Amino acid sequence: MGTSRFTRPKGLDGESAPNLFVANCGPAVGLSFDEIASVFGKFGEVFGVYPADESGARVIVSYSEVGSAQAALKALDGHPCSDLGGRALHIRNSILRPPTQELLAAVDGRPWKSLSKRRVQHYGYEFLYETRNVDTKQQLGELPPFVSPILKKISSFPHIENAEDVTLDQVTVNEYPPGVGLSPHIDTHSTFEGLIFSLSLAGPCIMEFRRYLQGTWLPSSLSSTDMQEQNPDYSSSFVRRSIFLPPRSMLLLSREGRYAWHHYIPHHKVDMVRDNMIRRGSRRVSFTFRKVRAGPCQCEFPQYCDSQN
């Protein structure tokens, strides 16, 4: 089921995670990942089984639900398991860092939608590029299990007020080939509320932020299913800042940066970072997490708000 190596983040409580560290279990003792998943699957949906280290005799079993992990721990810890060759398993709670390759494999195993220059997937609600909106009456279902570790990590972020209460219900996965960027935009105020999180995987890029001093700047056409590349220098009166997003980095947009600054990814194959050339790689995949707005927008930046301007 996988060959990724896990690390344990500091300062997190393993008892709150749906993951188990299982010793005396794995290929080195004659047990395949599929066999292990079948046995542990009796207690609930197993998201994956992965090697915990290079020994081949210790694995991480990751469940979709915490309760399933606790049930398996209670039933199997310290007891010989007849379905696993009679081996006595030694189990404890564990928190793992979501493995990059497993996340990429999870989305690559699902259908992509092709736009003019990139591919996308939507979960929770589909983002409608023609209107830069979502249809709240057309919910796509619950978010997939493979994003659960990311959501759990987000809930542990410091310096976010009531982070444990952040409810994110829409995910857009973007795949960018080399040289493909993102047109300048502000995520629609009337559609999404509060914080926006974006996880970068596979390849790096530069993301540029601009605040136009004469009010808002909008592309001349929004009719395409994938907004056409626009000239971001249309207005010369703006403040510009750039951020380097390496793989495994998480970007948080909030307050003024969320509501008043355009963000975009230049269409480059090579970015300059402190006088160093950084090649973007064969692909970049981003996971963007948002909350669909339930009521009218009353933001503090009406000059940038689509529902007030």
Side-chain angles (χ1 to χ4, degrees):
M1 279 205 174
T3 59
S4 299
R5 186 175 180 179
F6 287 76
T7 58
R8 181 183 176 89
K10 298 179 180 179
L12 296 178
D13 180 10
E15 296 183 358
S16 64
N19 312 303
L20 299 175
F21 175 92
V22 185
N24 197 27
C25 186
V29 295
L31 302 175
S32 71
F33 294 131
D34 288 339
E35 289 173 322
I36 298 167
S38 176
V39 171
F40 281 81
K42 297 176 181 179
F43 302 93
E45 182 183 6
V46 173
F47 174 65
V49 178
Y50 316 100
D53 53 30
E54 297 176 353
S55 70
R58 291 180 284 270
V59 300
I60 296 291
V61 178
S62 181
Y63 282 98
S64 299
E65 301 292 338
V66 174
S68 301
Q70 298 312 303
L73 174 63
K74 183 178 180 179
L76 299 177
D77 182 37
H79 305 297
C81 180
S82 59
D83 292 332
L84 294 177
R87 306 193 73 85
L89 307 180
H90 306 286
I91 308 174
R92 68 172 184 264
N93 292 291
S94 176
I95 285 184
L96 53 86
R97 179 175 294 152
T100 296
Q101 294 305 317
E102 293 298 333
L103 283 171
L104 295 174
V107 294
D108 284 336
R110 298 192 176 211
W112 291 92
K113 178 179 180 180
S114 294
L115 303 182
S116 64
K117 294 183 179 180
R118 67 184 192 274
R119 299 193 300 175
V120 299
Q121 294 181 21
H122 298 111
Y123 298 99
Y125 297 89
E126 181 175 6
F127 184 75
L128 306 175
Y129 293 93
E130 297 87 350
T131 59
R132 303 172 71 189
N133 205 332
V134 300
D135 185 350
T136 56
K137 298 180 181 179
Q138 296 293 324
Q139 188 173 12
L140 302 177
E142 299 296 327
L143 299 184
F146 61 78
V147 303
S148 297
I150 307 174
L151 294 172
K152 184 173 294 293
K153 185 68 175 179
I154 288 174
S155 70
S156 70
F157 280 3
H159 311 305
I160 298 178
E161 296 180 2
N162 302 318
E164 66 279 3
D165 297 328
V166 174
T167 302
L168 303 168
D169 56 10
Q170 196 277 332
V171 178
T172 296
V173 183
N174 282 284
E175 181 193 55
Y176 299 90
V180 173
L182 186 66
S183 298
H185 69 285
I186 297 175
D187 285 49
T188 317
H189 294 199
S190 62
T191 303
F192 302 109
E193 64 179 65
L195 308 176
I196 295 177
F197 300 84
S198 184
L199 173 66
S200 295
L201 295 180
C205 78
I206 287 287
M207 179 171 283
E208 188 169 295
F209 292 81
R210 294 186 176 189
R211 180 155 187 180
Y212 292 86
L213 304 181
Q214 297 176 348
T216 189
W217 172 86
L218 293 175
S220 59
S221 173
L222 299 176
S223 60
S224 171
T225 56
D226 185 17
M227 289 185 294
Q228 298 297 314
E229 181 180 358
Q230 303 292 328
N231 179 11
D233 297 322
Y234 181 84
S235 170
S236 60
S237 300
F238 58 82
V239 179
R240 174 167 55 190
R241 298 289 185 270
S242 296
I243 296 178
F244 177 54
L245 301 178
R248 299 182 67 92
S249 63
M250 178 72 80
L251 172 72
L252 166 61
L253 297 179
S254 65
R255 300 180 181 175
E256 181 179 322
R258 152 73 178 102
Y259 290 111
W261 288 68
H262 288 72
H263 59 277
Y264 95 106
I265 301 173
H267 296 258
H268 298 160
K269 290 186 177 181
V270 176
D271 291 310
M272 294 299 298
V273 180
R274 295 182 178 178
D275 298 326
N276 295 318
M277 292 194 302
I278 305 295
R279 189 169 297 278
R280 290 194 180 174
S282 60
R283 71 191 300 214
R284 174 178 173 266
V285 178
S286 67
F287 292 68
T288 301
F289 296 80
R290 296 175 283 209
K291 169 65 177 174
V292 173
R293 187 176 295 280
C297 179
Q298 298 178 344
C299 69
E300 301 176 4
F301 302 92
Q303 70 270 39
Y304 299 96
C305 183
D306 59 294
S307 64
Q308 300 182 54
N309 183 9

